Amino acid sequence: GVFGGDVRSVDALDRAVADPGDAWRVRELAAALAWYAERDEGFAAEVVGWAQEYGPAAGVVQNIHAGRDAYTAGRDMTVQQRPETDPASE
């Protein structure tokens, strides 16, 4: 009821449902949900329950192929470049 009475928020929901792969649309919906959740504890509890019920849609896969040292962790990535060497001179 709280969220559904706001045309802009309902539009954000409709756009995110129509194209869930569009990160901007999903962020817009998340911002609307967070705004209402901060103001209404009952709504916040509903959002938490919904999130727990459905969980993440997919996992994250990270594939690294490097001709140099690559250390990755979460969203961070450090690439250490080695000086170019001529195999014939070794």
Side-chain angles (χ1 to χ4, degrees), residues 30-57:
L33 291 170
W35 191 88
Y36 280 103
E38 289 174 2
R39 287 154 182 78
D40 186 315
E41 288 182 23
F43 181 74
E46 286 183 46
V47 171
V48 168
W50 173 80
Q52 288 174 339
E53 182 180 339
Y54 290 97

Side-chain angles (χ1 to χ4, degrees), residues 38-84:
E38 289 174 2
R39 287 154 182 78
D40 186 315
E41 288 182 23
F43 181 74
E46 286 183 46
V47 171
V48 168
W50 173 80
Q52 288 174 339
E53 182 180 339
Y54 290 97
V60 175
V61 176
Q62 186 177 46
N63 296 310
I64 305 295
H65 299 281
R68 54 187 62 120
D69 295 338
Y71 303 96
T72 62
R75 295 178 63 194
D76 299 328
M77 182 170 75
T78 302
V79 176
Q80 312 232 336
Q81 294 186 0
R82 297 181 192 159
E84 292 291 326

